[in-house]
Amino acid sequence: MEFTRSLSIAASGLRAQAGRMRVISENIANADSTADRPGADPYRRKVASFERRLDREMGADLVQLGRVKRDEGAFKTRLDPGHPAADAKGEVKLPNVNSTIEMMDMREAQRSYEANLNVVGATRRMLARTLDILRV
Amino acid sequence: MPLAGLPMFDMLKTRMQWHQARQRVLSENVAGADMPGFKPRDLRQPDFDGAARGPGPVTLVSTQGGHLPGFAGASSAATAKSGSFETTPSGNSVQLEDEMMKVAQNQMDYQMATSLYAKSLQIMKTAIKRG
């Protein structure tokens, strides 16, 4: 039935956005995770992407979280000679996480999640209207 | 005379199926709102010209050579790429606001179709009631 497909497509969107939210929360939680020895790299920011998945049984194009990639951007550095991860010049490499960007991403994920929820609600109301025909 | 053969009920049925198919296409658009390279789609309106004179079979129209045949019984109208005025750098041109408007519109029109269907059934019942 078409409505079941609509619901499963919207559910796949919800799942994908929730996965993206997980990646974003990993980034924010690790915004200060440095290495524990000199020369080693700190936490590298992760980027989520979406891809299409054809559900042959349902006959519907679903969305799923694709492979989570690493942001290859440069690390920030801070002068802190006492830090265990400080190099010869006394500089410590910090993660390339920008909290403003993460907040923006989070808002976007939230907005898309709400949109998918609205579609689920609308589809459910349409289904209820169909059942109302029986009550004539 | 079977109820399903009446043009009124047939048209409403086609209309309701169209709304269901459109809901699927719209939910695909919303779900793919953040997918790189995704293009939103929409369904073409079903053609009711001549349907009042006598219902004919509704078939899928392929407008281009590369079109695949649709899923069996999935929809009675062809999917059309909708024109959009903004495309993000990732090639995605879904406007969430537009899609939400379309979802709301679709829901309202579907409600109208089901109400009409229910009313038509009521009229039938009135007609067959004993006096």
Side-chain angles (χ1 to χ4, degrees), chain A residues 35 40 47 63 70 79 87-90 93 95 104 115-116 122-123 131:
Chain A
V47 186
V63 182
R70 302 250 166 195
L79 192 68
D87 58 10
K89 285 185 284 179
K93 279 197 248 180
M104 282 294 299
N116 277 298
T123 310
L131 295 179

Side-chain angles (χ1 to χ4, degrees), chain A residues 13-133:
Chain A
L14 288 176
R15 251 196 310 279
Q17 296 297 340
R20 180 190 190 184
M21 209 65 172
R22 176 175 56 78
V23 174
I24 295 169
S25 65
E26 274 174 33
N27 287 343
I28 294 176
N30 280 302
D32 293 316
S33 300
T34 53
D36 54 357
R37 59 198 150 77
D41 279 348
Y43 177 82
R44 204 175 261 286
R45 176 175 176 248
K46 288 177 185 169
V47 186
S49 69
F50 298 117
E51 61 187 28
R52 178 195 299 260
R53 182 168 66 86
L54 179 67
D55 190 327
R56 290 192 182 280
E57 197 187 336
M58 294 287 279
D61 261 337
L62 303 184
V63 182
Q64 68 176 6
L65 197 66
R67 229 168 58 82
V68 178
K69 297 185 190 74
R70 302 250 166 195
D71 184 347
E72 297 301 328
F75 292 119
K76 291 177 277 184
T77 52
R78 189 181 63 196
L79 192 68
D80 187 359
H83 199 279
D87 58 10
K89 285 185 284 179
E91 280 183 341
V92 184
K93 279 197 248 180
L94 296 174
N96 52 353
V97 177
N98 187 335
S99 52
T100 320
I101 293 175
E102 299 304 326
M103 286 299 157
M104 282 294 299
D105 260 7
M106 202 161 83
R107 294 296 309 183
E108 209 179 282
Q110 215 174 341
R111 190 163 152 263
S112 302
Y113 194 90
E114 273 166 20
N116 277 298
L117 267 186
N118 276 333
V119 172
V120 172
T123 310
R124 277 191 52 224
R125 277 192 290 279
M126 283 168 83
L127 245 165
R129 297 297 304 186
T130 319
L131 295 179
D132 278 350
I133 296 179

Side-chain angles (χ1 to χ4, degrees), chain B residues 52-64:
Chain B
R53 270 170 269 140
V58 183
T59 50
L60 277 173
V61 181
S62 56
T63 49
Q64 276 175 26

Side-chain angles (χ1 to χ4, degrees), chain A residues 2-3 5-6 9 17 20 50 52 59 63 111-112 115-116 118-119 122-123 125-126 129-130 133 136, chain B residues 16 20-21 23-24 27-28 30-31 34-36 71 74 96-97 100 103 107 110-111 115 117-118 122 125:
Chain A
E2 288 291 288
F3 281 147
R5 280 194 203 139
S6 304
I9 293 166
Q17 296 297 340
R20 180 190 190 184
F50 298 117
R52 178 195 299 260
V63 182
R111 190 163 152 263
S112 302
N116 277 298
N118 276 333
V119 172
T123 310
R125 277 192 290 279
M126 283 168 83
R129 297 297 304 186
T130 319
I133 296 179
V136 178
Chain B
M16 277 153 69
Q20 296 186 5
Q23 185 74 5
R24 172 175 60 85
S27 66
E28 272 179 15
V30 174
D34 293 323
M35 206 191 323
F71 302 111
L96 266 186
E97 295 80 8
M100 287 343 275
V103 167
Q107 195 190 337
Y110 186 78
Q111 198 164 330
S115 299
Y117 198 93
Q122 262 177 9
K125 274 192 174 169

